[in-house]
Amino acid sequence: MWSSRFNAATIANRLAEAAGREESHEEAAVGDGAAPRAAAVLLPLIPPGYDLQGGQDASWRLLFIRRAEHEHDRHSGEVAFPGGRADPGDRDPVATALREAEEEIGLDPRHIQVLGQMRPFRTVSGYRVTPVVGLVTTWPVALRPDPAEVAEIFSLPLDWLREPSHRHTRLWPAPGHPQARQVIFYQERDGRRLWGVSAWITVDFLSCLEPWG
C-alpha cells in the first residue's frame, strides 16, 4: 500500500522540501482587482489504524467536511476541508486553520501536530487560502460539527485519492464563461464528490509526497 511507507516525520520533511518549489495556484483572476483576503484550511491526517467509523484501515486518511446547505451560499453542500477566513487576532495561517477546525468540527488543537504548510491557492471567490497539514495525534477523538456550517464529517484514504483514474480535470463552468478555469473532479464516493479548490489542494498535497514516493 503506497501510503504505508510514510510516517509523520517523512511527511513533514517532504512538505518542507516542497515549500517554495512552485508559485501559488490561481483559479482565476479576481474580477475587481481587489487584493485577495487571507484564509486557511486544515488538512487533518488520520494515521493508519482506524478510520472515522472506528474500523481498521491500513491507509493514511484525510478528514473532510460536507458544508451545510444554505440557499445563498455559493459553496453550499460542497466537500471541503475545515477552515475559513483569517481573523485579526490570528497570528498566522496555522492559527487560522486550527481555530476554524475547532469552531467547525470541534477538533481540539491539542490533538493536532502541525506538519507543515503548502503553497497558497488564490480562488475565484477572492481568497488566498493557505493549506496547513496537521497530524491528528489522538484517534479516535470526539468531533462536534457545528450544524450551521457542517452537515457531515468523513474521511477518504490517501491511496484512493492518489489513484489517477479516480479523478479528471475539465474546463468549468463552461468554455467561454467569464470564470472558466480548469477544475479537478473526483469520482463520487459514498454519495460525496470532492472537486474544485479542495480537490486541487488534495492533489497538491499528494504531489508533495509523490516525487520521492
Side-chain angles (χ1 to χ4, degrees), residues 8-22 114-119 131 133 204-205 207-209 212:
T10 58
I11 292 172
N13 288 339
R14 293 178 183 188
L15 288 169
E17 290 186 45
R21 191 174 69 221
E22 298 174 339
V114 175
L115 301 182
Q117 299 180 43
M118 292 161 48
R119 61 176 181 163
V133 181
D204 197 46
F205 171 61
S207 76
C208 290
L209 307 181
W212 301 272

Side-chain angles (χ1 to χ4, degrees), residues 45-107:
L45 272 173
I46 304 172
Y50 294 92
D51 63 15
L52 192 58
Q53 288 71 41
Q56 294 288 338
D57 194 318
S59 174
W60 284 85
R61 302 177 74 92
L62 274 173
L63 201 66
F64 294 88
I65 64 170
R66 184 170 58 81
R67 296 188 182 279
E69 302 277 350
H70 294 292
E71 183 179 356
H72 300 295
D73 180 4
R74 65 182 295 168
H75 300 297
S76 178
E78 291 183 3
V79 171
F81 292 107
R85 71 183 67 182
D87 278 357
D90 293 339
R91 299 183 309 277
D92 52 28
V94 170
T96 299
L98 294 178
R99 175 183 55 75
E100 285 284 339
E102 184 171 28
E103 291 175 0
E104 290 186 352
I105 63 173
L107 182 54

Side-chain angles (χ1 to χ4, degrees), residues 1-211:
M1 185 172 287
W2 173 78
S3 70
S4 64
R5 73 187 66 182
F6 300 112
N7 57 35
T10 58
I11 292 172
N13 288 339
R14 293 178 183 188
L15 288 169
E17 290 186 45
R21 191 174 69 221
E22 298 174 339
E23 296 297 323
S24 63
H25 173 78
E26 290 197 14
E27 269 201 319
V30 180
D32 60 5
R37 293 162 286 182
V41 296
L42 182 68
L43 279 63
L45 272 173
I46 304 172
Y50 294 92
D51 63 15
L52 192 58
Q53 288 71 41
Q56 294 288 338
D57 194 318
S59 174
W60 284 85
R61 302 177 74 92
L62 274 173
L63 201 66
F64 294 88
I65 64 170
R66 184 170 58 81
R67 296 188 182 279
E69 302 277 350
H70 294 292
E71 183 179 356
H72 300 295
D73 180 4
R74 65 182 295 168
H75 300 297
S76 178
E78 291 183 3
V79 171
F81 292 107
R85 71 183 67 182
D87 278 357
D90 293 339
R91 299 183 309 277
D92 52 28
V94 170
T96 299
L98 294 178
R99 175 183 55 75
E100 285 284 339
E102 184 171 28
E103 291 175 0
E104 290 186 352
I105 63 173
L107 182 54
D108 192 323
R110 293 174 296 181
H111 297 310
I112 295 293
Q113 175 189 346
V114 175
L115 301 182
Q117 299 180 43
M118 292 161 48
R119 61 176 181 163
F121 281 65
R122 183 164 170 171
T123 72
V124 71
S125 53
Y127 287 93
R128 186 176 185 270
V129 181
T130 300
V132 176
V133 181
L135 172 69
V136 182
T137 57
T138 303
W139 196 262
V141 65
L143 299 174
R144 303 180 308 278
D146 178 353
E149 298 193 65
V150 177
E152 181 183 17
I153 305 170
F154 66 98
S155 64
L156 291 173
L158 286 192
D159 291 274
W160 185 87
L161 292 164
R162 175 181 179 257
E163 176 53 53
S165 65
H166 292 164
R167 62 180 187 263
H168 68 277
T169 304
R170 71 172 189 263
L171 200 62
W172 190 90
H177 190 281
Q179 292 184 345
R181 69 270 194 195
Q182 292 295 322
V183 172
I184 296 175
F185 290 83
Y186 271 87
Q187 291 179 4
E188 188 172 292
R189 180 180 167 112
D190 298 327
R192 315 176 188 102
R193 185 185 299 277
L194 170 63
W195 68 283
V197 171
S198 298
W200 274 111
I201 290 173
T202 299
V203 171
D204 197 46
F205 171 61
L206 294 170
S207 76
C208 290
L209 307 181
E210 194 70 44

